[in-house]
Amino acid sequence: MKIAQRCSQASGGRYTITTSLLPSDATAQREQLIRRLAAKDSGIDLMSLDPVFVPEAANAGFLRPFTPGEATPLTQGVFPAAVQSSTWKGRLYAAPMWANTQILWYRKSVARRAGINPNDPNFTWDQLIDAATRTNTLVGVQGNRYEGYVVWINALIASAGGRMIGQTERGSRASIEIDSPAGREAARIIGKLARSGVASPTLSTDIEEQSRATINSPRGGFLLNWGYVWQAEQGDAEDGAISPNIVNDLGWAPYPKVTPNQPARPPFGGIEIGVSAFSRHQDVAVEAVRCITSPANMKQYMLDEGNVAARPDIFDDPDILQQFPMAPLLRDSIVASSPRPNTPYYADLSGAVQNRWHPPTEVNESTPGETSVFVRQVLRDQALL
């Protein structure tokens, strides 16, 4: 809302941006936007899009593509993963606003008790779970049946050297690759954590905020979550919701590896700004996008809201470094991240994976094979979600 007000004032009366709140989770956001766009609702000019839903909306003709001249200032100096996630068939369909990644947040006192260094270059998921077991503390993750759970699954598979699907340019005929050694290793880790006694008791319904609450509990130990955590924890301490000692005890480390000899591939997320193909104000909408995604607004949004900017240069800004001492780690993690598959069928792929991998306690070595069969059936209209 603050950015909308600033850009409206800067336009000198050419446009006014009014804002509406989308649902809090990505799956519900996509459902609301796609329904309105499919109805050619001209009441939407600009929209916040999760990166994985850009190809679907672009392929359906719901987004106005940016011309090459318009795209250049929107992509220069932006993380390549953010540009890749905003592009469909060689054209930019959304402007990166903020990028995002997950890192390992941990209680330093718990790490000392466990005798571990989470910043060790070869620190793995198995070491993490074992450390939590030794100290009887929790590992917070997102295990609800929603997009955030697929984020975890995809990151584990990528960190093991695999991918869920390939040849995405073939659409519904993409190669299904989740039934692989990497897929089975991801399933092993999820099953191990879910059945270990150190996962949240509400793992199967936990989203970002519920998982964040675990690190503030009496058994708080470790948390895999997005960059907003630092700002949120500080705000809770200032409001008296948690003890300041918790914030003082909070450390951060890179996303754990699956195996010591394979680089971790943290999740990639964020928000892009798209222009509706049905907007009656497309020219000024593009002008507004340039303002919204300007480096100055990205920086201010990161300072105000804790959501991570899409331009790596911003991470070297003294104001950012003062407020976010883990900014270099967030930047490096975005560079190392693994975006989810870039396909217009992503909603079907994600739904099929959620169907077979939930609840986490039931995930085992046969899950990737069952998922492979089901994804293929769903993509080829042989099965319903």
Side-chain angles (χ1 to χ4, degrees):
M1 290 179 68
K2 292 179 182 178
I3 291 176
Q5 291 166 358
R6 283 198 295 270
C7 289
S8 298
Q9 290 176 341
S11 76
R14 283 178 51 76
Y15 59 80
T16 299
I17 305 173
T18 57
T19 57
S20 299
L21 287 178
L22 286 168
S24 59
D25 75 81
T27 302
Q29 290 170 14
R30 176 254 174 198
E31 181 178 297
Q32 184 175 119
L33 286 172
I34 292 297
R35 283 181 173 180
R36 292 186 66 178
L37 292 168
K40 301 183 179 180
D41 184 348
S42 62
I44 298 176
D45 299 298
L46 305 173
M47 69 201 84
S48 298
L49 288 165
D50 189 288
V52 293
F53 301 131
V54 172
E56 176 185 19
N59 194 63
F62 294 163
L63 299 178
R64 175 202 182 278
F66 294 100
T67 67
E70 294 166 346
T72 298
L74 299 174
T75 56
Q76 282 183 336
V78 173
F79 285 112
V83 177
Q84 174 191 333
S85 297
S86 305
T87 302
W88 177 244
K89 293 187 175 179
R91 303 187 73 180
L92 187 75
Y93 278 90
M97 169 59 184
W98 47 281
N100 214 346
T101 191
Q102 290 194 358
I103 59 177
L104 173 62
W105 305 90
Y106 65 94
R107 299 281 289 272
K108 290 180 280 190
S109 58
V110 173
R112 284 194 296 269
R113 282 186 6 236
I116 59 165
N117 176 15
N119 280 284
D120 185 289
N122 290 318
F123 190 69
T124 65
W125 276 92
D126 283 314
Q127 290 175 305
L128 171 63
I129 298 167
D130 293 346
T133 301
R134 288 196 301 275
T135 54
N136 191 33
T137 54
L138 297 175
V139 178
V141 291
Q142 298 79 52
N144 196 4
R145 186 171 168 174
Y146 81 125
E147 185 55 34
Y149 183 33
V150 184
V151 165
W152 181 26
I153 296 167
N154 183 74
L156 289 176
I157 293 173
S159 296
R163 57 186 182 180
M164 292 197 290
I165 63 172
Q167 298 177 297
T168 55
E169 70 280 358
R170 294 172 56 190
S172 62
R173 297 284 166 176
S175 59
I176 314 303
E177 301 177 13
I178 196 169
D179 185 18
S180 64
R184 288 186 284 278
E185 188 66 2
R188 181 190 68 80
I189 289 172
I190 290 175
K192 176 179 178 177
L193 175 59
R195 295 185 287 270
S196 66
V198 298
S200 165
T202 57
L203 171 62
S204 64
T205 58
D206 280 356
I207 62 174
E208 282 79 0
E209 278 297 89
Q210 283 80 1
S211 64
R212 182 171 74 89
T214 63
I215 205 165
N216 301 323
S217 71
R219 291 183 64 199
F222 307 92
L223 169 67
L224 280 303
N225 211 328
W226 305 97
Y228 84 98
V229 164
W230 181 243
Q231 195 103 324
E233 290 289 289
Q234 289 184 313
D236 283 353
E238 291 171 4
D239 293 341
I242 63 174
S243 167
N245 294 332
I246 293 178
V247 177
N248 295 333
D249 194 32
L250 199 60
W252 46 85
Y255 202 77
K257 292 184 173 183
V258 169
T259 57
N261 59 353
Q262 186 80 31
R265 300 295 306 277
F268 175 79
I271 285 294
E272 278 84 54
I273 309 298
V275 177
S276 170
F278 312 113
S279 167
R280 299 193 185 101
H281 314 103
Q282 293 186 13
D283 290 343
V284 291
V286 172
E287 183 182 330
V289 168
R290 283 197 295 269
C291 179
I292 292 168
T293 62
S294 69
N297 276 328
M298 281 191 194
K299 172 188 169 180
Q300 194 60 49
Y301 189 64
M302 186 170 176
L303 291 172
D304 289 346
E305 303 297 330
N307 289 317
V308 182
R311 295 176 182 270
D313 287 352
I314 292 173
F315 292 71
D316 297 322
D317 186 283
D319 295 333
I320 295 294
L321 289 168
Q322 181 178 4
Q323 190 161 320
F324 297 93
M326 73 295 301
L329 172 60
L330 291 168
R331 179 196 57 217
D332 294 346
S333 297
I334 293 173
V335 171
S337 66
S338 178
R340 285 154 284 168
N342 195 3
T343 169
Y345 290 85
Y346 184 80
D348 288 337
L349 168 65
S350 177
V353 171
Q354 293 172 45
N355 183 289
R356 290 299 188 261
W357 289 64
H358 197 269
T361 51
E362 299 300 318
V363 173
N364 56 51
E365 63 181 11
S366 67
T367 301
E370 296 169 359
T371 307
S372 179
V373 173
F374 189 53
V375 168
R376 184 174 289 104
Q377 291 173 335
V378 168
L379 292 185
R380 299 179 184 179
D381 294 330
Q382 297 167 352
L384 295 174
L385 290 173

